[in-house]
Amino acid sequence: MKFPIPWIGQYTELPGDDDVARAFTLSGSEVEGRETEEGETVMEFGITVNRPDCMNVYGLAREASVLFGKRLKPVEAAVLESGPSTAQLTSVVVEAPELCPRYRARVIRGVKVGMSPAWMQKRLAQCGLRPINAVVDATNFVLMELGHPLHAFDMDRLKERRIVVRRAGPGEKITTLDGVERTLDPERLVIADSLRPVALAGVMGGEDTGVTFGTGSILLEGAVFEPVNIRRTSKALGLHTDASHRYERGVDPEGPVAALDRCAKLILDMCGGTLAPDPVDVYPAPAVPKRVILRHGRLVSLLGMDIAPERCASILTALGFGLEARGDGSWAVTVPSFRVDVSREADLIEEVVRVNGLEGLRAELPQGIDPVGGRPAELEFEERLRDQLVAAGCSEAIHMSMTDPAVEKALGACAQAVPLANSLAPANSVLRTSLLPPLLLTAAKNRSRGARKVALFELGRAYLPAESGRPGEDPRAAVLLYADAPAKTWGAAPVPRLLDLKGKVESALDRLGLEVVFTAAERFPFASGLCLNLSVGGRRVGSVGTLAPRALDAAGLKGGSAHYAEWSLGGLEALCRPPSFTSLSRYPSVVRDFSFMADKGVSWAALRGKLVSLPLPNVKAIHLVDCYEGEGVPEDKRSWTVSMIFQSPDRTLTEEDVVSVAPVVTGALQEAFGAVLR
Amino acid sequence: MHQERFDDIRARFAEEIASAASESDVLDIKGRYTGKKRGILQELMASLKEVAPEERPAFGQAVNALKSELEQGVDEALARVRDAKRAPAGLDVTLPGLRPDLGHLHPITRVRREIEQIFISMGYAVATGPEVEDAYHNFEALNTPADHPSRDIQDTFYITPDVLLRTQTSPVQIRTMEARRPPIKIIAPGRVFRRDDDVSHSPMFFQVEGLVVDRGITMAHLKGTLTHFYSALFHRDVEVRFRPSFFPFTEPSAETDLTCVICGGSGCAVCKRTGWLEIGGCGMVDPAVFGFVGIDPEEYTGFAFGLGIDRIAMLKYGIDHIRHLYDNDVRFLEQF
Ligand SMILES: [Zn+2]
């Protein structure tokens, strides 16, 4: 909010601009910018939502007077009244007092409306307002100066020259000053004449009854409206104005008096006319000043800093609070009507702190015995998984949780992704149900920037639609390997294969103490025959596979191949088995290799399963040494070399121990698979 | 005079043995110098009779010393040529080393871990909560009622009027206080969302929220905690300045300014010549928040603070634009 410094200076003595900016910034109203307009300094104040009293020149002057210990001058608002009383000229009926606690009106007759003088136009321009005519400018001027929104009606255009404050009828219409016709409902409060709405209360006036250069009589409104209703109306109609901005934050219930007088004086000065005595004031339940107890001891113990009682008292008094010492180190504090934000002891402590400053605050650590801190086991598990995946050669990506619904769908998302009600862009309009869409889009983006090979992982949540309307959050891990050409870098591995990915996933989880079981599966977006279920502890937790070409198309990846794994992390941590020591045999091991050919249809899982099941003593491990097809091997066969390692815990194995193994192995493989020893 | 002969033999031997490329070369040299028959040293010894009688003992000792020196040279040369035969040859050792294929942690993760580690060392527990929150935990219980302008401070992504993407990790405060009684000492790192996308904002970013509740907790403790934390994080003594501000869930509230870690406070482009970096918000837990979770504000006090992991990462690594953080360009990721 922009205000010229000399205007503030009219009400209290100010030091140089640098000191002004610094003092405001360090007391809670940050000076966010400074410029020179029409030869004067204008500052941009970042006024927090709790301080509507500072959203005007006089409020800032009050702050400055406290910060710099200077006097605050009163507002000049003495007016000359004459002729019939206001009540004889108009009437005000408030039919919805719950939405309008106070409505005060003044009437000025016989005005000649011209343009406002240059000095006033300059002030308005400095605050970012355009001049309209002398009367409208006067209301805006007072809004900027004293912070209370006012509205001026052309009284001759009010039917029966009277005001009714009421809820709008269903479907009732009003054309506001911006020329837009708006359809209302009973949730909207209107200012009406005897016939129709003439203003949207606290938001904007109506076009028909606004003051023009032809206006002769004016009804000036100074009202108090209920903040929540103003805010709802402003939101519902998409109409945010200087008035609604202040009303929705809360205005001083006593504000209309001075604001109307000040405005009336300005209008009389500029436009002439006579001001009717005895303003109409519908104020059935005058606001009762709030009283709050402030304990000095509480202030000291909350801050950990001693601010002397005299200092506290003088700060609060200067800010307009009434203090009454209670003799026990506390005060009964009366809150001034303009401080709508203060109602509790904590608020008063903040007031003292704000003005006193926090420079004197020591920096000390809490005393006492600390609870044991640390990460919960599930988070520690995630950190360790990250480290394992980095060690496996993958770099960590972090994506938005929002993604493109079209890509989600094209990648075969099993559920309808949860849409945001107010997304910023279609490409970020749903919550991902899988980590695949963002990862694959990222691969495509990197490819378009020249990367030929991408190895990425991400740990993050998938958001799964639920009946309740609140999506379930499933912590996931995903790994994507993509390449569209063999690596051309010195020493780099060639194009990654599905088995590389399978190995990375298996080794990462194995290192965390999880035993992974892979079983063949068929599932889009994986290519047919190139997909595996990933299970841990007898439960399927995810998939690993080669992505189908049309999945790559969906992300705009032209060419190349991608392998992808994604699994759910929920509950995995509880299944992790810490390493457990197995004693080391003191006796050497014996190795036997078996080379044989089998039909292409025979899988490693089948071969291994058979070998494991053989009743052979002292088998320590079975390793795959080689699996080969091609030259030298018949078209329909594959050649295998398997290594079996034998070791006894209590003696050295002899040749005789192992020699009997060969016929058992070859016999079994031949019987089961027709495998022929090479 | 004799010395010259010795030096001459020594020099010739050194030259020949150094150029020996095979075992037979070495053995040939050995024969010529130390051979029992007509070896050079043998001849040298034979010249003893030409030496003056009083110098003879010294001369004999010198010959023996030279002999063992040459024998040692022969042994070393033999070991060298035999090893060369067993080891592979012909490698261009100036070729680049083969680096293991390792990935990179995202800078956000690196910084988040650093932050967590510092607080864990100070006895804090790490807490998490849902990213899709209800309005009650994200706003209401944080003293931000519906239809109040304080809701506008954070532009919010909604799923339904009551379900939203959390705008802060502060709801974890509420969930923690709902679940247990003081003493509470937590930090809550995580994703947060704001409906905001421009040069300096990302619709999603990472925050850390801290909360301490116990008897006798003061604002001085808050300042001490943040001073220690930031000094540890930036590996230098920093000063923390509190500037009064407004947050609905703390009172008093303050913006946390930090002596600029780039220029040390003398003023630079990063701190806009002020010498201070605005780094987060903090304050004493508002009694209204305690009211929502049923903690007696007369018995307990507490402080809360928040900071952006993104901002810290950008400061620490000199990242010039927030968009790099979530673009996942491998050229970016591989720098960390
Ligand atoms: Zn700096």
Side-chain angles (χ1 to χ4, degrees):
Chain A
M1 227 167 240
K2 282 166 52 176
F3 295 104
I5 297 307
W7 196 358
I8 298 171
Q10 282 174 18
Y11 290 107
T12 190
E13 191 184 321
L14 295 177
D17 287 348
D18 286 347
D19 289 339
V20 170
R22 193 184 134 76
F24 273 113
T25 295
L26 291 181
S27 65
S29 297
E30 190 181 359
V31 172
E32 294 170 338
R34 217 196 287 189
E35 53 200 82
T36 303
E37 272 178 37
E38 311 212 24
E40 294 177 337
T41 304
V42 175
M43 290 189 191
E44 172 84 36
F45 291 87
I47 295 163
T48 53
V49 296
N50 58 325
R51 294 301 304 277
D53 64 299
C54 279
M55 295 175 180
N56 59 79
V57 166
Y58 198 71
L60 291 170
R62 185 189 296 115
E63 285 284 300
S65 74
V66 178
L67 296 173
F68 302 117
K70 301 292 181 190
R71 199 175 78 87
L72 179 67
K73 293 172 197 159
V75 180
E76 204 184 311
V79 283
L80 264 176
E81 300 167 330
S82 60
S85 76
T86 312
Q88 288 173 274
L89 300 170
T90 186
S91 74
V92 174
V93 175
V94 177
E95 291 180 354
E98 72 283 6
L99 301 183
C100 176
R102 183 172 198 178
Y103 196 99
R104 187 174 167 99
R106 270 195 170 282
V107 171
I108 308 174
R109 291 182 303 153
V111 295
K112 285 204 171 61
V113 181
M115 288 303 284
S116 60
W119 64 266
M120 182 178 276
Q121 293 195 10
K122 177 174 93 174
R123 287 292 182 233
L124 293 178
Q126 286 170 326
C127 296
L129 296 174
R130 281 182 310 112
I132 311 285
N133 61 48
V135 172
V136 174
D137 290 0
T139 59
N140 282 334
F141 185 88
V142 173
L143 176 65
M144 290 300 129
E145 189 174 52
L146 302 182
H148 203 102
L150 301 175
H151 185 65
F153 293 100
D154 183 332
M155 194 161 148
D156 298 327
R157 290 172 182 265
L158 295 177
K159 296 279 181 290
E160 297 181 19
R161 299 174 162 240
R162 62 189 183 94
I163 293 290
V164 180
V165 183
R166 59 169 171 82
R167 289 171 183 270
E172 204 169 15
K173 290 187 165 57
I174 182 173
T175 301
T176 41
L177 274 170
D178 53 5
V180 179
E181 188 188 63
R182 299 169 189 278
T183 305
L184 308 175
D185 61 64
E187 286 304 301
R188 315 277 82 91
L189 183 72
V190 295
I191 312 302
D193 56 18
S194 64
L195 198 65
R196 58 186 174 144
V198 292
L200 263 176
V203 180
M204 191 178 269
E207 197 174 44
D208 287 353
T209 53
V211 171
T212 65
F213 293 114
T215 298
S217 298
I218 295 163
L219 184 141
L220 266 184
E221 161 198 299
V224 177
F225 299 114
E226 199 274 318
V228 169
N229 181 259
I230 298 294
R231 182 173 160 83
R232 287 185 181 160
T233 295
S234 162
K235 291 246 162 196
L237 301 181
L239 197 54
H240 185 92
T241 61
D242 284 329
S244 72
H245 190 77
R246 284 162 176 84
Y247 274 125
E248 69 179 30
R249 281 159 176 72
V251 296
D252 178 359
E254 306 306 333
V257 179
L260 281 175
D261 287 355
R262 174 74 172 145
C263 189
K265 179 184 170 1
L266 290 168
I267 292 172
L268 292 175
D269 289 351
M270 294 186 291
C271 312
T274 56
L275 175 65
D278 306 325
V280 170
D281 198 350
V282 182
Y283 191 23
V288 179
K290 290 170 280 186
R291 272 167 70 88
V292 184
I293 303 298
L294 170 61
R295 295 163 294 170
H296 184 257
R298 171 71 177 182
L299 179 143
V300 172
S301 68
L302 186 69
L303 298 180
M305 173 168 76
D306 194 357
I307 302 175
E310 303 73 38
R311 170 88 173 131
C312 298
S314 78
I315 287 171
L316 290 172
T317 307
L319 286 168
F321 293 86
L323 264 68
E324 192 185 307
R326 307 203 316 159
D328 58 352
S330 71
W331 298 274
V333 180
T334 307
V335 180
S337 62
F338 53 83
R339 289 307 299 270
V340 294
D341 60 316
V342 175
S343 61
R344 307 166 305 164
E345 187 179 38
D347 303 325
L348 292 171
I349 293 173
E350 181 167 68
E351 284 307 293
V352 173
V353 163
R354 211 170 54 71
V355 174
N356 181 74
L358 286 163
E359 285 91 343
L361 194 62
R362 286 190 312 276
E364 46 185 45
L365 288 177
Q367 300 300 304
I369 297 159
D370 286 335
V372 176
R375 289 189 189 102
E378 319 84 71
L379 293 187
E380 194 58 40
F381 171 78
E382 291 185 8
E383 299 303 347
R384 289 172 58 216
L385 179 56
R386 283 188 175 90
D387 288 339
Q388 292 304 332
L389 292 172
V390 164
C394 306
S395 291
E396 187 186 16
I398 297 182
H399 291 98
M400 300 284 158
S401 304
M402 303 77 96
T403 193
D404 190 335
V407 179
E408 271 265 332
K409 193 154 174 270
L411 289 175
C414 49
Q416 189 69 48
V418 176
L420 297 177
N422 58 342
S423 68
L424 282 168
N428 279 315
S429 60
V430 298
L431 294 178
R432 63 186 183 190
T433 62
S434 154
L435 307 194
L436 177 59
L439 271 168
L440 204 54
L441 289 169
T442 285
K445 192 163 58 184
N446 276 288
R447 174 67 196 87
S448 73
R449 290 170 185 167
R452 312 296 305 259
K453 192 176 151 194
V454 172
L456 292 173
F457 77 91
E458 179 165 16
L459 263 68
R461 298 181 193 180
Y463 307 83
L464 307 174
E467 290 284 322
S468 66
R470 182 165 169 177
E473 295 175 41
D474 188 26
R476 300 265 179 101
V479 184
L480 175 74
L481 305 182
Y482 169 82
D484 81 340
K488 283 181 182 162
T489 327
W490 167 257
V495 178
R497 300 155 301 178
L498 175 56
L499 294 183
D500 288 311
L501 176 60
K502 187 184 175 193
K504 285 177 198 291
V505 171
E506 189 171 19
S507 109
L509 292 177
D510 178 62
R511 285 299 185 87
L512 298 180
L514 292 173
E515 199 180 326
V516 185
V517 174
F518 296 98
T519 47
E522 283 293 329
R523 183 177 300 114
F524 190 72
F526 297 103
S528 177
L530 295 172
C531 173
L532 293 159
N533 282 336
L534 193 164
S535 304
V536 179
R539 181 167 61 92
R540 179 181 167 256
V541 294
S543 306
V544 185
T546 297
L547 291 174
R550 73 194 148 102
L552 302 195
D553 294 344
L557 264 172
K558 295 176 184 69
S561 63
H563 312 289
Y564 182 70
E566 178 168 333
W567 67 97
S568 177
L569 299 174
L572 287 193
E573 184 278 327
L575 301 174
C576 291
R577 276 206 305 265
S580 141
F581 174 70
T582 315
S583 60
L584 311 176
S585 172
R586 291 190 289 125
Y587 304 98
S589 56
V590 180
V591 181
R592 277 290 172 279
D593 285 356
F594 299 94
S595 291
F596 52 90
M597 275 197 291
D599 286 347
K600 263 188 181 168
V602 178
S603 72
W604 167 244
L607 285 170
R608 188 174 191 285
K610 188 74 209 171
L611 292 171
V612 167
S613 73
L614 294 177
L616 297 169
N618 296 323
V619 177
K620 179 99 176 136
I622 298 172
H623 292 312
L624 176 61
V625 175
D626 192 28
C627 168
Y628 175 75
E629 51 192 83
E631 207 176 325
V633 178
E635 187 85 333
D636 58 341
K637 304 272 184 199
R638 278 199 284 187
S639 131
W640 299 87
T641 303
V642 177
S643 198
M644 295 184 79
I645 298 160
F646 302 86
Q647 190 176 39
S648 160
D650 47 25
R651 65 190 176 87
T652 300
L653 294 181
T654 62
E655 236 357 82
E656 288 83 78
D657 287 313
V658 192
V659 83
S660 61
V661 163
V664 178
V665 171
T666 48
L669 292 177
Q670 169 134 40
E671 190 192 340
F673 309 112
V676 186
L677 205 64
R678 294 188 76 188
Chain B
M1 193 185 83
H2 304 304
Q3 193 58 40
E4 276 174 24
R5 286 178 66 191
F6 280 79
D7 288 346
D8 182 46
I9 292 168
R10 199 179 269 119
R12 276 192 289 132
F13 174 81
E15 194 178 318
E16 286 184 45
I17 204 80
S19 59
S22 68
E23 196 168 335
S24 65
D25 288 351
V26 177
L27 293 176
D28 178 54
I29 295 166
K30 182 185 179 187
R32 280 191 287 109
Y33 280 84
T34 61
K36 290 270 184 316
K37 289 176 182 170
R38 307 209 298 137
I40 293 170
L41 291 192
Q42 197 67 29
E43 287 171 9
L44 191 63
M45 202 51 147
S47 67
L48 182 70
K49 52 188 178 297
E50 296 158 22
V51 176
E54 67 276 16
E55 290 177 18
R56 282 182 194 167
F59 184 87
Q61 272 171 20
V63 174
N64 282 331
L66 180 60
K67 185 177 178 205
S68 62
E69 191 185 324
L70 298 194
E71 280 168 351
Q72 196 186 333
V74 165
D75 287 349
E76 282 168 11
L78 273 179
R80 171 170 59 77
V81 296
R82 282 174 183 158
D83 232 23
K85 218 162 73 182
R86 291 161 67 199
L91 175 66
D92 174 0
V93 294
T94 66
L95 285 172
L98 296 176
R99 298 170 66 150
D101 202 0
L102 293 178
H104 302 258
L105 275 180
H106 196 284
I108 290 284
T109 299
R110 291 173 63 123
V111 171
R112 178 178 54 72
R113 283 184 178 182
E114 247 184 285
I115 293 170
E116 289 177 10
Q117 216 46 59
I118 295 168
F119 281 112
I120 287 171
S121 77
M122 291 164 86
Y124 286 70
V126 181
T128 55
E131 292 165 6
V132 181
E133 260 296 1
D134 48 56
Y136 176 79
H137 286 92
N138 195 74
F139 286 129
E140 256 159 78
L142 288 162
N143 200 25
T144 312
D147 293 315
H148 192 272
S150 49
R151 283 260 172 123
D152 296 345
I153 301 176
Q154 296 159 357
D155 257 332
T156 309
F157 284 114
Y158 285 93
I159 291 164
T160 70
D162 188 51
V163 178
L164 46 83
L165 300 185
R166 68 176 177 192
T167 56
Q168 47 198 357
T169 46
S170 316
V172 180
Q173 274 189 28
I174 301 299
R175 291 183 176 278
T176 302
M177 289 191 283
E178 282 172 345
R180 58 191 176 88
R181 300 289 91 184
I184 290 170
K185 213 172 168 186
I186 58 153
I187 54 161
R191 288 171 182 243
V192 299
F193 306 84
R194 303 269 172 94
R195 199 172 174 282
D196 216 347
D197 197 4
D198 59 40
V199 289
S200 53
H201 296 92
S202 159
M204 183 203 81
F205 55 99
F206 283 75
Q207 235 187 17
V208 177
E209 176 95 1
L211 173 74
V212 173
V213 181
D214 202 354
R215 293 190 179 87
I217 294 296
T218 70
M219 202 163 188
H221 294 146
L222 170 58
K223 188 173 180 184
T225 298
L226 292 177
T227 305
H228 276 79
F229 163 69
Y230 283 116
S231 297
L233 185 64
F234 289 106
H235 309 292
R236 59 190 293 177
D237 283 335
V238 294
E239 200 191 317
V240 164
R241 177 176 84 172
F242 282 171
R243 200 153 35 77
S245 187
F246 170 77
F247 304 107
F249 44 96
T250 48
E251 181 115 346
S253 302
E255 294 284 357
T256 313
D257 293 344
L258 193 65
T259 35
C260 178
V261 292
I262 307 296
C263 63
S266 57
C268 67
V270 174
C271 61
K272 298 189 192 108
R273 314 270 154 217
T274 62
W276 294 98
L277 296 171
E278 187 177 322
I279 202 113
C282 65
M284 303 304 291
V285 178
D286 194 295
V289 172
F290 281 144
F292 279 103
V293 295
I295 290 178
D296 179 2
E298 285 296 308
E299 184 177 1
Y300 293 103
T301 51
F303 63 72
F305 57 86
L307 53 112
I309 300 180
D310 306 54
R311 172 130 165 91
I312 308 270
M314 291 171 74
L315 282 171
K316 264 184 114 71
Y317 302 125
I319 299 166
D320 60 355
H321 207 295
I322 191 169
R323 104 183 102 81
H324 291 307
L325 290 174
Y326 306 113
D327 191 46
N328 298 300
D329 189 317
V330 293
R331 296 167 301 177
F332 171 81
L333 297 176
E334 285 169 2
Q335 293 180 28
F336 299 94

